[in-house]
Amino acid sequence: MSPPDDPVFNEPWEAQAFAMAVSLEAKGLFTWTEWAEALGREIKAQGERSYYECWLAALERLVEEKRLMSAAERLTRINEWDRAAKATPHGQPIELDRS
Amino acid sequence: MPHDHDHDHAHGDDHHHGSELSPIALRVKALESLLVEKGYVEPEALDTLIETYETKIGPRNGARVVAKAWSDPKYKAWLLDDATAAIASLGYTGRQGEHMVTVENTPETHNLVVCTLCSCYPWSVLGLPPVWYKAPPYRSRAVIDPRGVLTEFGLMLPDDTAISVWDSTAEIRYLVLPMRPQGTEGWSEEKLSQLVTRDSMIGTGIALAPGALL
């Protein structure tokens, strides 16, 4: 029998990032050619980053280019999640406090 | 939901009473929550996709395609002529609608698949690519020195076997049809499929010998 394959995703965020790109393409918000170019650009400048870090960076850039969201919106939201996480006791689900 | 003032941060030291998400997990959560709010993705659809890729799609799909081609000359002819349709007939359809091409290994020619740009890969039949397929050494060297790369995978081909390298794109994905191992006459498709490894369908390996199943 063949040996077991590598795990498909090493961490949950990799799976989420993967699924977002596949889902957006399936909805026609970008094409695979555009995706391959965006990912190819990041991989070319890969440096120390892992494959899925490049994947995420490509996705962040493409959603901005396609005007699905602005960079400012995204950065604000990152801070909101950071604050929410730090205010949530261990073991409880982290939820955004949307006021 | 009423705002709960963050008394957890009053100490101003490194000790967090709350949880902490890694910077990358924060970026993913930010992206996802915005996409969901704006109606571009549905959380349930993302979960379904992940589950499918983790459990249902993988190289076993491709192995069944290959085993069928080894057993059924008409299917093989179809697979070589119109791989997209022949593969879809077994229920394996690419979400991306990419065009599939099958390249057949023979004693004269061995085929090797790479994506030099990024990681284009025939997901519907092989699942997600292995780590080495996405790594720079393989992507750059498969084209320049395919024989050297194959040697590193433990595959020594006869000197007079030519190597064709196929560079995948977003539009075209390649599936290698490995040679059927000797000594498998009369085997069922199910049994044959067990000889078909993922690497043999990328071209960095060949199908297992019948003895490997004992």
Side-chain angles (χ1 to χ4, degrees), chain B residues 82-84 87 98-102 122 124-125 171 173-175:
Chain B
D82 183 355
T84 311
I87 289 169
E98 70 273 14
H99 189 60
M100 289 290 310
V101 170
T102 307
S124 58
V125 276
E171 290 87 20
R173 316 287 171 101
Y174 297 95
L175 177 71

Side-chain angles (χ1 to χ4, degrees), chain B:
Chain B
M1 199 188 289
H3 186 73
D4 191 13
H5 291 283
D6 32 331
H7 19 236
D8 277 351
H9 294 280
H11 306 296
D13 60 23
D14 294 345
H15 183 73
H16 294 294
H17 296 281
S19 313
E20 187 128 25
L21 292 173
S22 69
I24 202 137
L26 288 171
R27 282 164 62 195
V28 170
K29 273 187 143 345
L31 201 56
E32 184 180 350
S33 60
L34 282 168
L35 289 172
V36 168
E37 270 170 37
K38 291 167 183 283
Y40 294 124
V41 300
E42 289 86 39
E44 301 75 27
L46 296 182
D47 288 349
T48 307
L49 251 171
I50 292 167
E51 200 206 332
T52 303
Y53 275 96
E54 281 184 326
T55 59
K56 300 200 179 83
I57 301 183
R60 291 299 91 207
N61 292 4
R64 288 187 203 104
V65 171
V66 169
K68 190 167 181 61
W70 284 347
S71 310
D72 178 349
K74 270 168 83 176
Y75 183 79
K76 179 180 163 183
W78 188 20
L79 185 66
L80 291 173
D81 179 55
D82 183 355
T84 311
I87 289 169
S89 77
L90 298 184
Y92 312 137
T93 46
R95 287 189 59 90
Q96 298 78 43
E98 70 273 14
H99 189 60
M100 289 290 310
V101 170
T102 307
V103 286
E104 183 186 12
N105 283 350
T106 63
E108 293 77 37
T109 308
H110 181 88
N111 296 286
L112 179 66
V113 178
V114 66
C115 174
T116 54
L117 176 68
C118 50
S119 55
C120 298
Y121 191 71
W123 294 356
S124 58
V125 276
L126 297 189
L128 293 179
V131 173
W132 53 260
Y133 186 86
K134 302 178 289 194
Y138 179 75
R139 295 191 352 257
S140 57
R141 289 195 45 232
V143 174
I144 304 166
D145 179 21
R147 207 170 284 273
V149 167
L150 291 182
T151 306
E152 282 163 30
F153 276 90
L155 181 58
M156 310 287 237
L157 294 172
D159 285 342
D160 56 353
T161 299
I163 302 175
S164 291
V165 180
W166 302 86
D167 195 355
S168 310
T169 66
E171 290 87 20
I172 301 184
R173 316 287 171 101
Y174 297 95
L175 177 71
V176 174
L177 177 57
M179 286 192 286
R180 179 172 175 160
Q182 311 238 318
T184 57
E185 292 73 20
W187 282 33
S188 68
E189 278 181 35
E190 177 55 36
K191 199 172 173 193
L192 283 170
S193 75
Q194 295 176 28
L195 299 175
V196 186
T197 63
R198 177 194 64 202
D199 289 6
S200 73
M201 294 179 281
I202 302 175
T204 50
I206 55 174
L208 299 175
L213 293 189
L214 297 178

Side-chain angles (χ1 to χ4, degrees), chain A residues 71-87 94-98, chain B residues 3 6 9 19-23 25-31 33-34:
Chain A
E73 243 179 325
R74 202 170 53 72
L75 295 175
T76 304
R77 183 56 63 88
I78 288 174
N79 285 325
E80 288 170 353
W81 274 114
D82 193 26
R83 280 202 307 275
K86 285 174 178 155
I94 299 167
E95 282 172 12
L96 272 191
D97 186 9
R98 316 289 303 151
Chain B
H3 186 73
D6 32 331
H9 294 280
S19 313
E20 187 128 25
L21 292 173
S22 69
L26 288 171
R27 282 164 62 195
V28 170
K29 273 187 143 345
L31 201 56
S33 60
L34 282 168

